[in-house]
Amino acid sequence: MIRVRLERREVTPAWLQVAIPIASVLVTLVLCAALVRAAGADVIEAYRILLLSTFRSGYDVQDTLVKAAPLLFTGLAVLVAFRAKFWNIGAEGQLMAGAVAACFVGERTFLPAVSLVPLMIVSAALFGALWALLPALLKVRLKVDDVVTTLLLNFIMLYGVTALLEGPWRDPKSGYPNAPSVRIEAEFPLVPGLGVHLGVALALAAALLVWWMMSRTTLGFRIRAVGHNPAAAAYAGIGVGRVILTAALVSGALAGLAGAGEVGGVRFQVTSDLSSGYGYAGIVVATLAELNPLGAVPAALFFAIVFNGAGTMARATGVPIYLADVIQGVALVTMVAGRLFATYRPRLVRPLAPAPAPGPEATPSPLAGRGGGVAAEGR
Amino acid sequence: METLVTLLDVGFFAALVRISTPLLLASLGELLSERSGVLNLGIEGIMLFGAMTGFTVAYFSGSLWLGVLAALLAGALAGLLMAFLAVVLGVSQHVSGIGLTLLATGLSFYVYRLVFGQPASPPNVVPFRPWPVPVLSDLPVVGPILFNQMPLTYLALLAVPAVAFLLYRTPWGLDLRTVGENPRAADAAGVNVWRMRTQALVIGGAMMALGGAYLSISQFNAFTFGVVSGRGWVAVALVVFGLWSPWRCAAGALLFAALEALQLRLQANNVLHVPYQVLLMLPFVMTIVAMAIVSRNARAPAALLVPYRKEER
């Protein structure tokens, strides 16, 4: 039987960094085609609408950009954390923390009108960062598992916000449990020429800033060193705990900014369904971007296009709108699996003699190479 | 305070046991996976997938037990996918688990919408009815609390000693625990690490899905998109809270269920002027506090999160 041997790569070729995400998306679309067929729709037609309806009109392009902004923010938040091996699954809660702070500031009548937008942005980043600091402190000081705490804090935040919205913070003029709307002056201005709110531009700027931070600053170097090998980083004199805390603060701040954008540019108030899973989608964006800040931009745009097109596709073809959610999940799984090719090189291997019928090209068992490899059953 | 005491009657404890069912099943499933060395964060999605599959099959076949069977199969399949990712490919358990949750959640929504469309009122089934155990259900206090429950609740209660027995009293359990603690030693002793982990994930996945199906065909009579609403994550927390022991895990599940039962009571009776969300939040807060307190002693399975590669050191 032919086996596939995986050999560890010394370096990952640059083209693979681009090819793997693209291949993952293509594989995802092929896999999901079965679901489209199950819905009795024409696959090509459904995908054409799903992927191209964004480009029908200027309005759709704007809508997609606005949807991409929180995905980009949470994607950046997740990738900064993951780079430091701080498993922040809590972008959802940190986004909410930022939204609450932004909305609270945006309602204050005593603040000068011009200070509202900058204060909303700063306070959202601050609250998001604080909400991420708690699990990071627990991890660094007490070695409490960060996956569980960041996950649970999402629910604590959500229940806390719902309690506020159904209690003291409820807008008396509204029939729904919503916070009062922010002041008119607190609504984010539109970016001239683009017609999208300020948060979109901030998200793009954040991607550049995070890229610069990760690749050009000492902090970025330290984050990568800690994530790569904490023991070696500590030996090299890097304060591992402090680096993790800093990464958590940056991560939480970025997620908080997503909340500011949603309050300041889209909803103008806090509702309990403000996020609709942006925090978890951030994990998909970050993974598809291979934790590269610049890669997060196309990744966020791709999912914004899918989310934007799903509604149109559902109306036109009858394929359930939830195809977008399936695509998101499948893309994450195929991407994680595809990442293996960045670390390992697959190689077909024939088993050791005695082979039943040794062909002319029967080779002896190839040496496993330095450090050995992984033997996986061939398909 | 007196009003609070009157709230804690037999009905309250019966409700507590009922509410603990999905938590027991899911957390024991997660416990098996983690004891083998694999954190399965797909749990939230697997529960929803089980709830959807169980409901859909029960709806069309007219048989609740066929629904249960379908949910078990669906969960086992999801566990198999997790095993392929986390065991065979050995990729990040965090990320592949979240991926599985997103995938199973999206798929549940998709299939449900495809099958049922968007009806004005959600389709429903006649859910399980309590099965009073002869003689025992007539006992005072204990009877209504423990012996007048739904069949799946009995199953969940029995699963606790069953999992404990399996883990601590059988060769299979010994192998499983060794694989979770020291896979290389297990391998050297002739235990197939990949096979043990795959088995744990498949059985664990089936239990998670059963917990989900309990919600849609026993506790409620319909599938709704929010039917699981974080119970999977609570189960992950319960395993940590219970320090990877089935008994402590079950105790935690009962405690969390008590809080939810209390919350329902308080909401219905309107006695305490505490927002009900605070009580819903309490299990999550308690878990974090408990984790911080026990963190020094908490010993997760040593090989948790570490993929096993035979030829790599």
Side-chain angles (χ1 to χ4, degrees), chain B residues 128-176:
Chain B
F128 277 110
R129 294 184 186 291
W131 275 7
V133 180
V135 186
L136 290 176
S137 60
D138 295 330
L139 292 172
V141 187
V142 188
I145 293 175
L146 281 182
F147 299 109
N148 192 15
Q149 293 284 2
M150 313 276 185
L152 294 184
T153 304
Y154 296 129
L155 218 58
L157 291 172
L158 290 174
V160 184
V163 167
F165 180 82
L166 211 59
L167 268 183
Y168 299 114
R169 297 271 184 274
T170 65
W172 186 83
L174 178 64
D175 286 354
L176 190 80

Side-chain angles (χ1 to χ4, degrees), chain A residues 13 31 48 62 77 98 197 209 219 235 243 248 289 302 325 337 342 354 367 374:
Chain A
L31 289 175
R48 194 183 62 76
Q62 286 170 353
H197 68 83
L209 212 65
L219 175 65
Y235 186 72
V243 170
F302 170 72
D325 300 74
L367 295 169
V374 187

Side-chain angles (χ1 to χ4, degrees), chain A residues 44-288:
Chain A
I44 304 292
E45 176 68 3
Y47 277 166
R48 194 183 62 76
I49 300 174
L50 181 73
L51 299 174
L52 297 182
S53 57
T54 285
F55 305 100
R56 279 178 312 192
S57 68
Y59 174 78
D60 282 290
V61 172
Q62 286 170 353
D63 193 40
T64 304
L65 290 176
V66 167
K67 279 207 175 69
L71 291 169
L72 183 51
F73 269 130
T74 52
L76 293 168
V78 169
L79 75 86
V80 169
F82 278 21
R83 278 280 183 192
K85 291 261 163 69
F86 172 60
W87 299 107
N88 184 7
I89 319 288
E92 189 86 3
Q94 292 140 21
L95 181 153
M96 212 58 175
V100 166
C103 188
F104 186 80
V105 170
E107 286 166 9
R108 297 306 101 194
T109 46
F110 59 83
L111 290 170
V114 285
S115 72
L116 282 175
V117 172
L119 278 178
M120 284 164 75
I121 292 169
V122 171
S123 55
L126 197 69
F127 266 67
L130 283 177
W131 198 246
L133 184 63
L134 181 65
L137 273 174
L138 287 171
K139 177 191 171 87
V140 170
R141 291 284 152 80
L142 297 172
K143 294 195 166 46
V144 179
D145 182 58
D146 42 349
V147 175
V148 177
T149 49
T150 50
L151 246 172
L152 297 187
L153 282 166
N154 289 342
F155 286 88
I156 295 176
M157 175 56 71
L158 189 64
Y159 285 132
V161 171
T162 322
L164 281 177
L165 294 181
E166 290 184 8
W169 205 18
R170 183 180 180 141
D171 180 4
K173 293 188 290 286
S174 164
Y176 298 97
N178 296 333
S181 296
V182 294
R183 291 165 59 189
I184 298 285
E185 300 89 340
E187 295 180 7
F188 281 8
L190 297 183
V191 178
L194 274 177
V196 294
H197 68 83
L198 179 66
V200 180
L202 283 179
L204 204 59
L208 291 170
L209 212 65
V210 171
W211 171 79
W212 175 78
M213 182 195 84
M214 292 304 291
S215 58
R216 296 283 184 275
T217 68
T218 329
L219 175 65
F221 171 76
R222 286 184 173 155
I223 288 177
R224 283 180 290 137
V226 166
H228 193 67
N229 187 341
Y235 186 72
I238 296 175
V240 173
R242 174 171 267 191
V243 170
I244 291 177
L245 290 179
T246 315
L249 284 173
V250 174
S251 173
L254 286 163
L257 286 173
E262 290 310 282
V263 166
V266 182
R267 303 282 190 104
F268 310 119
Q269 59 180 192
V270 171
T271 57
S272 54
D273 65 344
L274 183 87
S275 171
S276 67
Y278 286 132
Y280 304 107
I283 299 170
V284 189
V285 169
T287 308
L288 202 66

